[in-house]
């Protein structure tokens, strides 16, 4: 940006909170003040659903559906409290990804906010950034949010954006500034603070600095591991949103089992599942679903989903929706014909027995790490397979029959694992998956009646102090429930 552009930018109005902003945990400055105008809520005047424009999606005190503005305040406060004095935190919104670039106008993929940025701000617009400065005032930090602001020409194409005034009053920024002044503001603050935490893909670059930009790169410390620690324990509100996401996916599973017949295509099953989730309010799928019939289930990440279901086959479906910012992740394996054959029943029961035993150990008092649970999953499966007549050699379960890990943490992201230590003890409030599987290749050392079967059973589990809670309980799992759902005998909950 040139000096002239910078000067022009700084002449633009700056919105600043006029009253002291509320501190974490003390009462509410809800959207209720803005909510007075909620009756006439269309068209939206904001860059995302908010109570005044979308009272059917949010409650007055919520900033994003299910999560109150106060909770975002607490997240920021907790993060800033954990940092040394003289700290600056910088996060940038996700970039827009384009499906088609030329000729203009460009057509973009549906925008999804960067997870950490969203976790701390609840702000869902692209072209945004936030700076948090640690302070000694009662709030504990100062927040500057940079965004597009109102731009009628741009909004005609892309939809409404939140005004700077509303960024202050609704998102609780101390200051709201246009995004184009972000580089200059960051540069000037970088000279003042000695601890700079930045969430960015290459935060570890450690070459000596030559320019202001590289000075910032040099000074910064990675923020992602600190936020990952906060995100790993889910609040009550987050647990409720995650339960709702898992319920949507679980009910969609039950109906998708009923929908499946010999002759149905894998892609139709994927489409049906996604349609049911969308109908229930999900914004997107949390990942590309696996719909693997017969031997396709031996490919762990099978996503081609372009075969046709044959009578007598098993179908492995690994699918989950994202709902109000949180992912769900469920796998079920069920018979195309509606009834398990005897061999399918035996192998399914083996995986199910192990899976249920492992879920029972997802408590703080059991004192297990993910590594230990994984090791136990191999042991449980080995015992089950031996009972079915497998003659297993050392390491064959881990290397051949069950080549993936048991579990991962889940939340805003499907795999909240990049900064998660698998050697850490499980704590109450964590949400993890438990997903053992057995995939039998057609090799002579394995019993022939199980050849080409792939079975995985995956649930999301909320770790409790004494008891685990299965969030994905709506998806049929017991043999009788799976067969009942496939045959249309289960009371299916209406959408
Ligand atoms: N669906 C991806 C996983 O289970 O991790
Ligand atoms: Mn998973
Ligand atoms: Mn999965």
């Amino acid at each position: 940006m040139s000096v002239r552009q910078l000067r022009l930018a700084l002449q633009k109005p700056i919105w600043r909170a006029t009253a002291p902003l509320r501190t974490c945990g003390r009462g509410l400055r809800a959207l209720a003040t803005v909510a007075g105008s909620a009756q006439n809520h269309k068209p939206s005047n904001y860059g995302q659903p908010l109570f005044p424009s979308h009272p059917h999606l949010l409650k007055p005190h919520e900033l994003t559906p299910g999560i109150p503005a106060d909770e975002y305040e607490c997240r920021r406060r907790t993060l800033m409290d954990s940092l040394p004095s003289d700290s600056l935190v910088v996060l940038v919104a996700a970039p827009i990804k384009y499906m088609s670039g030329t000729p203009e106008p460009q057509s973009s993929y549906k925008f999804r906010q960067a997870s950490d940025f969203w976790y701390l701000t609840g702000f869902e617009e692209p072209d945004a950034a936030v700076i948090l400065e640690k302070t000694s005032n009662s709030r504990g930090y100062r927040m500057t949010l940079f965004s597009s602001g109102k731009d009628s020409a741009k909004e005609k194409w892309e939809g409404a954006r939140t005004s700077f005034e509303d960024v202050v009053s609704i998102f609780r920024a101390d200051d709201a500034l246009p995004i184009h002044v972000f580089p200059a503001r960051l540069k000037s603050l970088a000279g003042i603070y000695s601890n700079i935490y930045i969430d960015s893909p290459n935060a570890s670059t450690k070459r000596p600095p030559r320019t202001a930009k590289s000075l910032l790169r040099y000074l910064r410390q990675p923020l992602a591991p600190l936020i990952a620690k906060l995100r790993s324990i889910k609040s009550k509100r987050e647990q409720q949103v995650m339960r709702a996401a898992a319920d949507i996916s679980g009910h969609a599973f039950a109906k998708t089992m009923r929908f499946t017949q010999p002759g149905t295509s894998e892609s139709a099953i994927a489409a049906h599942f996604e349609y049911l989730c969308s109908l229930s309010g999900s914004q997107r799928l949390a990942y590309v679903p696996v719909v693997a019939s017969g031997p396709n289930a031996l490919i762990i990440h099978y996503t081609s989903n372009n075969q046709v279901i044959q009578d007598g086959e098993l179908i492995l479906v690994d699918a989950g929706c994202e709902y109000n910012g949180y992912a769900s992740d469920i796998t079920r394996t069920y018979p195309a014909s509606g009834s398990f054959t005897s061999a399918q029943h035996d192998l399914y029961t083996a995986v199910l027995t192990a899976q249920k035993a492992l879920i029972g150990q997802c408590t703080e008092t059991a004192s297990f790490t993910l590594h230990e649970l994984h090791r136990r999953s191999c042991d449980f499966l080995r015992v089950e397979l031996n009972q079915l007549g497998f003659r297993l050699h050392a390491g064959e379960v881990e290397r051949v029959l069950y080549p993936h890990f048991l579990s991962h943490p889940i939340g805003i992201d499907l795999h909240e694992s990049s900064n998660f230590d698998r050697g850490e003890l499980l704590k109450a409030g964590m949400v993890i998956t438990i997903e053992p599987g057995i995939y039998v290749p057609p090799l002579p050392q394995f019993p022939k009646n199980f050849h080409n079967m792939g079975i995985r059973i995956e649930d999301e589990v909320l770790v409790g102090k004494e008891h685990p809670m299965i969030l994905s309980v709506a998806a049929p799992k017991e043999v009788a429930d799976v067969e009942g759902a496939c045959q249309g005998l289960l009371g299916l909950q209406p959408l």
Side-chain angles (χ1 to χ4, degrees):
M1 181 184 288
S2 71
V3 174
R4 188 171 163 276
Q5 281 172 316
L6 182 59
R7 240 185 246 129
L8 276 173
L10 289 171
Q11 281 163 12
K12 292 204 172 180
I14 293 172
W15 275 262
R16 172 159 291 182
T18 46
L21 286 160
R22 176 165 321 285
T23 56
C24 172
R26 277 207 234 133
L28 276 187
R29 187 181 54 171
L31 294 180
T33 43
V34 202
S37 58
Q39 285 82 357
N40 192 7
H41 56 266
K42 284 180 189 170
S44 172
N45 203 24
Y46 311 106
Q48 67 191 78
L50 290 169
F51 173 71
S53 57
H54 294 75
H56 54 295
L57 296 181
L58 297 98
K59 299 198 174 67
H61 61 288
E62 291 172 349
L63 192 55
T64 61
I67 309 289
D70 262 7
E71 185 153 330
Y72 286 97
E73 182 74 39
C74 282
R75 292 171 179 180
R76 292 188 291 267
R77 177 66 193 248
T78 310
L79 171 69
M80 298 311 284
D81 281 352
S82 74
L83 302 180
S85 56
D86 214 12
S87 286
L88 184 79
V89 163
V90 184
L91 294 106
V92 177
I96 298 172
K97 291 187 183 131
Y98 291 98
M99 287 180 104
S100 156
T102 48
E104 296 266 356
Q106 293 166 313
S107 191
S108 61
Y109 286 96
K110 191 171 179 180
F111 181 72
R112 183 183 186 275
Q113 189 54 281
S115 299
D116 282 348
F117 180 87
W118 185 81
Y119 178 76
L120 289 179
T121 63
F123 195 66
E124 295 180 355
E125 295 180 27
D127 302 320
V130 68
I131 294 181
L132 303 173
E133 299 165 66
K134 181 153 175 146
T135 62
S136 54
N137 66 16
S138 62
R139 195 185 194 196
Y141 66 91
R142 173 168 199 84
M143 171 177 173
T144 307
L145 215 156
F146 302 82
S147 62
S148 310
K150 306 301 288 176
D151 176 342
S152 54
K154 208 169 166 207
E155 288 177 62
K156 207 174 174 60
W157 286 92
E158 296 171 9
R161 290 283 188 262
T162 308
S163 70
F164 296 124
E165 198 176 357
D166 286 334
V167 164
V168 166
S169 65
I170 297 173
F171 291 88
R172 302 191 182 179
D174 294 280
D175 288 326
L177 294 175
I179 184 65
H180 52 253
V181 306
F182 170 64
R185 175 56 73 103
L186 181 55
K187 194 172 154 195
S188 64
L189 289 173
I192 301 171
Y193 288 88
S194 32
N195 303 298
I196 301 172
Y197 295 86
I198 295 191
D199 220 2
S200 80
N202 42 4
S204 56
T205 313
K206 282 287 173 198
R207 261 193 259 121
R210 289 196 186 163
T211 60
K213 211 167 158 193
S214 64
L215 172 71
L216 265 177
R217 246 199 322 264
Y218 187 72
L219 290 174
R220 69 195 181 183
Q221 307 180 46
L223 178 61
L226 305 175
I227 300 183
K229 225 176 180 48
L230 303 183
R231 279 173 54 184
S232 72
I233 304 294
K234 272 64 183 182
S235 70
K236 284 280 172 273
R237 301 290 194 149
E238 289 182 294
Q239 292 170 19
Q240 283 162 3
V241 178
M242 290 194 74
R243 172 63 193 260
D247 273 348
I248 291 173
S249 295
H251 291 306
F253 258 97
K255 292 191 171 185
T256 302
M257 286 178 186
R258 179 70 192 119
F259 172 80
T260 305
Q261 306 284 337
T264 312
S265 66
E266 293 168 344
S267 61
I269 292 172
H272 192 71
F273 179 86
E274 183 167 4
Y275 158 77
L276 292 170
C277 292
S278 300
L279 218 51
S280 294
S282 138
Q283 289 79 17
R284 55 172 68 77
L285 291 187
Y287 51 96
V288 180
V290 173
V291 181
S293 57
N296 292 337
L298 272 61
I299 303 163
I300 311 292
H301 282 169
Y302 175 83
T303 49
S304 324
N305 302 345
N306 55 10
Q307 270 300 351
V308 176
I309 312 297
Q310 306 296 319
D311 199 9
E313 283 183 333
L314 287 175
I315 302 125
L316 184 158
V317 178
D318 182 345
C321 72
E322 183 182 300
Y323 178 66
N324 293 345
Y326 288 82
S328 57
D329 183 10
I330 303 175
T331 307
R332 292 292 185 262
T333 310
Y334 57 96
S337 70
S339 303
F340 289 101
T341 64
S342 157
Q344 290 169 350
H345 176 278
D346 288 350
L347 198 63
Y348 184 86
T349 306
V351 179
L352 181 62
T353 305
Q355 202 248 9
K356 291 200 291 190
L358 291 157
I359 288 176
Q361 301 182 337
C362 294
T363 65
E364 196 168 306
T365 45
S367 284
F368 286 119
T369 66
L370 285 193
H371 271 313
E372 286 162 349
L373 276 186
H374 178 72
R375 197 175 38 74
R376 292 175 82 82
S377 71
C378 298
D379 295 344
F380 284 142
L381 289 171
R382 198 174 299 108
V383 169
E384 294 295 327
L385 292 174
N386 278 329
Q387 284 175 9
L388 292 181
F390 282 74
R391 297 289 161 257
L392 297 164
H393 296 105
E396 216 161 28
V397 167
E398 297 84 337
R399 277 186 293 100
V400 184
L401 294 168
Y402 169 45
H404 60 79
F405 200 69
L406 170 71
S407 171
H408 57 84
I410 177 171
I412 297 170
D413 291 313
L414 168 70
H415 291 161
E416 295 204 324
S417 12
S418 46
N419 287 292
F420 187 88
D421 178 4
R422 287 174 172 177
E424 186 186 327
L425 289 175
L426 294 185
K427 286 196 210 69
M430 289 179 173
V431 178
I432 59 171
T433 62
I434 292 293
E435 48 182 304
I438 290 291
Y439 315 86
V440 189
L443 297 174
Q445 69 264 38
F446 302 125
K448 204 165 173 9
N449 49 339
F450 300 119
H451 282 187
N452 285 322
M453 282 187 201
I455 295 176
R456 176 163 69 255
I457 306 175
E458 174 176 27
D459 277 309
E460 290 171 56
V461 182
L462 169 62
V463 177
K465 277 242 180 293
E466 310 277 343
H467 304 285
M469 181 190 280
I470 302 176
L471 298 181
S472 43
V473 69
K477 184 168 76 167
E478 295 296 328
V479 168
D481 292 337
V482 170
E483 291 186 340
C486 291
Q487 296 166 22
L489 303 176
L490 278 194
L492 298 178
Q493 199 161 299
L495 285 166

